[in-house]
């Protein structure tokens, strides 16, 4: 959906006679230096250590996770408990380091003594690897958040447990990062034994009350399936041309970039840092598969939390039944896992009514808090998120760790795993 934002910006810019190619070129030299940096360079430039890890899934995908093992003050005397941050649809790990050190959740957690892992789902620009397939093959793109729930979640958790020596990890997801965790727990409730806590920002399992009329109209005419009919398999994977042109436009038209984003995700009420709009344009969208977008379209049209619908004949072959099966949400009610969900009153995607409908499906230990005036992307990009949201997440993480001694305990020895890379500012990732 972020590409719609950027396409609209380009069209608006093309129509506006006051904006010329020379205008864009003249702005390039004045851009935020992070615009030309990779995510590893962005993290390192702010004084943090950064590593990249390749994590293989059971079905052959190779995911890239960026790790900030400690904060700017240096290593802790005691092992740092790991916390996993999972981005939303069409996003990437950069969403957690979007703002300053004091405003970005990834940096805040590292400075508070956590071992921070910034995850990337299969098919986004950082996770285009596979053991046997290349990303120009149709078979590579045959996935949705079903496979992210079934394979990616488990692979990330197991790898990080093995790498750090901790029996359990804390998990924070935004948007799609929440639906894939809810789906994973529905498929395998025992997964909670590997988790200390679960924080959901803009949480979703249903889009029944979603209020964005433009997205609903596009879904109702099956625009997602039309794109797929034309043989397009990947969706909004960035290229060098878009990454070069869009930052200049958003530097010139930061207010317009912000306005169009708001029209899809909800009004942010001035909480975005407009000076970072060019950086956003250089980094976003992260990309996914068209099949995943089709799955989201199905979810929007039906309002039901279920597996991908391939059509009756293929459903019988895959699922043993004509209809795509519902996720076993009854399993969520049995969880003992501490869960803290945040919704926003201005969120057009994860509507508060849908979040309230979700709460009775969870155990009584789950907590829901509404943030007044917050839209969907505010949980990651708003300059006020550190005060309104992260200041509440930190004590929740600490309390959950203190209440679960296994989450604070690291094994004495950590098994030797595949080599990791420590990235300097010149690394091309």
């Amino acid at each position: 959906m972020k590409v719609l934002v950027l396409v609209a910006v380009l069209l608006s810019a093309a129509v506006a006679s006051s904006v010329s190619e020379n205008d864009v070129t003249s702005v390039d030299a004045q851009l935020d230096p992070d615009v030309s940096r990779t995510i590893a360079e962005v993290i390192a430039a702010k004084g943090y250590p950064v590593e990249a890890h390749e994590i293989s899934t059971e079905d052959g995908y190779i995911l890239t996770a960026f790790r900030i093992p400690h904060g700017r003050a240096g290593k802790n005397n005691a092992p740092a408990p790991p916390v996993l941050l999972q981005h939303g649809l069409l996003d990437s790990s950069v969403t957690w380091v979007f703002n300053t050190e004091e405003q970005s959740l990834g940096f805040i957690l590292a400075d508070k003594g956590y071992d921070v892992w910034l995850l990337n789902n299969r098919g986004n620009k950082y996770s285009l690897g596979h053991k046997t397939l290349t990303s120009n093959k149709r078979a590579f793109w045959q996935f949705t958040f079903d496979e992210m729930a079934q394979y990616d979640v488990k692979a990330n958790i197991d790898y990080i447990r093995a790498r750090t020596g901790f029996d359990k990890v804390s998990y924070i997801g935004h948007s799609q990062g929440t639906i894939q965790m809810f789906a994973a727990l529905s498929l395998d409730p025992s997964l909670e034994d590997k988790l200390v806590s679960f924080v959901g920002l803009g949480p979703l399992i249903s889009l029944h009350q979603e209020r964005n009329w433009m997205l609903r109209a596009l879904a109702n005419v099956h625009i997602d399936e039309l794109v797929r009919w034309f043989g397009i398999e990947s969706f909004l994977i960035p290229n060098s041309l878009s990454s070069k042109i869009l930052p200049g436009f958003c530097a010139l038209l930061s207010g317009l970039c912000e306005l169009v984003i708001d029209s899809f995700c909800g009004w942010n009420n001035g909480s975005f840092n407009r000076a970072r709009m060019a950086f956003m344009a250089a980094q976003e969208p992260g990309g996914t598969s068209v099949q995943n977008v089709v799955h989201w379209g199905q979810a929007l049209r039906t309002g039901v939390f279920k597996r991908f619908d391939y059509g009756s004949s293929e459903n019988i072959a895959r699922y043993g039944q004509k209809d795509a099966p519902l996720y076993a949400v009854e399993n969520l009610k049995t969880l003992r896992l501490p869960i803290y969900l945040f919704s926003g009153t201005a969120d057009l995607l994860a509507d508060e009514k849908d979040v309230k409908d979700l709460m009775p499906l969870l155990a009584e230990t789950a907590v829901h808090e509404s943030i007044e005036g917050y839209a969907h992307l505010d949980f990651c990009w708003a300059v006020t998120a550190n005060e309104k949201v992260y200041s509440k997440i930190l004590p929740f993480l600490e309390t959950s760790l203190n209440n679960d001694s296994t989450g604070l305990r690291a094994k004495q020895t950590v098994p030797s795993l595949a080599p990791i890379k420590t990235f300097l500012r010149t690394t091309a990732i």
Side-chain angles (χ1 to χ4, degrees):
M1 51 196 74
K2 290 176 188 172
V3 78
L4 298 174
V5 169
L6 299 179
V7 167
V9 170
L10 282 175
L11 291 175
S12 301
V15 172
S17 60
S18 61
V19 179
S20 68
E21 183 177 352
N22 290 334
D23 292 327
V24 175
T25 303
S26 66
V27 168
D28 285 346
Q30 306 171 29
L31 291 178
D32 179 342
D34 282 347
V35 167
S36 60
R37 288 172 175 155
T38 67
I39 181 175
E41 293 170 340
V42 169
I43 295 169
K46 291 177 171 54
Y48 295 85
V50 57
E51 304 167 353
H53 293 247
E54 291 187 341
I55 301 173
S56 296
T57 68
E58 185 180 334
D59 61 341
Y61 285 82
I62 301 172
L63 316 175
T64 298
F66 293 96
R67 180 190 192 186
I68 308 176
H70 57 78
R72 291 168 293 177
K75 291 184 178 180
N76 305 310
N77 293 326
V83 57
L84 287 55
L85 304 185
Q86 182 66 69
H87 62 78
L89 177 65
L90 294 176
D91 210 343
S92 76
S93 53
V94 77
T95 202
W96 304 110
V97 292
F98 186 80
N99 286 314
T100 68
E101 299 91 310
E102 292 76 25
Q103 297 168 335
S104 301
L105 185 57
F107 295 139
I108 291 170
L109 289 169
D111 284 335
K112 289 294 184 181
Y114 289 94
D115 183 356
V116 179
W117 294 76
L118 312 177
L119 308 179
N120 288 286
N121 277 324
R122 64 180 61 200
N124 88 348
K125 64 180 182 178
Y126 292 119
S127 295
L128 294 173
H130 194 281
K131 291 181 178 178
T132 60
L133 300 171
T134 58
S135 59
N136 62 354
K137 300 295 185 182
R138 182 176 185 272
F140 178 91
W141 298 102
Q142 304 308 295
F143 64 81
T144 77
F145 62 76
D146 286 342
E147 285 73 26
M148 297 173 194
Q150 184 174 355
Y151 299 112
D152 295 9
V153 171
K154 181 178 184 297
N156 284 323
I157 290 174
D158 286 348
Y159 178 93
I160 293 168
R161 289 172 64 240
R163 170 61 69 179
T164 63
F166 279 83
D167 291 329
K168 295 186 176 185
V169 300
S170 301
Y171 180 95
I172 301 174
H174 173 242
S175 190
Q176 181 179 261
T178 68
I179 200 171
Q180 66 193 76
M181 177 53 77
F182 283 125
L185 290 166
S186 297
L187 293 170
D188 180 13
S190 68
L191 181 65
E192 72 167 338
D193 295 333
K194 300 176 182 179
L195 297 172
V196 177
S197 61
F198 168 26
V199 175
L201 307 175
L204 294 161
I205 66 166
S206 167
L207 293 173
H208 184 65
Q209 303 289 342
E210 185 270 339
R211 291 179 289 155
N212 190 303
W213 67 269
M214 287 182 289
L215 292 179
R216 187 165 292 279
L218 291 172
N220 287 339
V221 299
H222 294 248
I223 191 69
D224 49 341
E225 295 180 357
L226 179 63
V227 170
R228 194 182 186 203
W229 184 80
F230 278 103
I232 302 171
E233 302 296 340
S234 62
F235 192 73
L236 303 185
I237 300 297
N239 56 54
S240 58
L241 181 61
S242 64
S243 297
K244 180 175 176 60
I245 294 177
L246 290 175
F249 277 111
C250 280
L252 282 169
L253 303 168
S254 61
L256 180 58
C257 281
E258 182 179 355
L259 178 65
V260 182
I261 291 173
D262 287 349
S263 68
F264 284 93
C265 300
W267 307 103
N268 76 83
N269 297 316
S271 58
F272 283 176
N273 181 354
R274 286 191 178 182
R276 297 293 277 177
M277 286 295 103
F279 175 62
M280 176 277 295
Q283 296 289 337
E284 303 285 0
T288 188
S289 69
V290 168
Q291 185 166 311
N292 190 35
V293 175
V294 171
H295 196 176
W296 278 100
Q298 293 175 356
L300 201 157
R301 287 188 289 270
T302 65
V304 177
F305 187 33
K306 63 180 181 178
R307 305 290 290 270
F308 183 78
D309 189 347
Y310 292 91
S312 58
S313 59
E314 184 66 15
N315 285 343
I316 291 173
R318 288 176 177 267
Y319 307 128
Q321 59 187 59
K322 284 187 177 182
D323 297 324
L326 302 175
Y327 274 102
V329 293
E330 62 272 14
N331 289 335
L332 302 177
K333 193 72 172 180
T334 67
L335 300 176
R336 306 175 308 279
L337 177 69
I339 299 176
Y340 198 172
L341 304 181
F342 291 86
S343 63
T345 61
D347 194 333
L348 297 182
L349 301 177
D351 189 271
E352 284 214 303
K353 293 179 181 177
D354 283 330
V355 180
K356 290 177 181 177
D357 289 344
L358 166 62
M359 292 307 295
L361 303 177
L362 306 177
E364 293 181 358
T365 53
V367 178
H368 170 223
E369 183 161 349
S370 174
I371 306 299
E372 182 65 31
Y374 254 45
H376 199 58
L377 288 175
D378 285 337
F379 295 105
C380 297
W381 292 5
V383 295
T384 58
N386 56 340
E387 301 170 1
K388 294 187 176 182
V389 182
Y390 306 157
S391 62
K392 300 172 183 178
I393 291 177
L394 291 172
F396 173 75
L397 294 178
E398 185 176 359
T399 299
S400 299
L401 281 167
N402 290 334
N403 290 340
D404 188 339
S405 59
T406 59
L408 285 169
R409 186 177 67 247
K411 299 172 185 175
Q412 292 300 312
T413 59
V414 177
S416 176
L417 298 174
I420 59 176
K421 302 174 184 178
T422 301
F423 284 86
L424 302 177
R425 290 180 60 182
T426 56
T427 305
I429 285 190

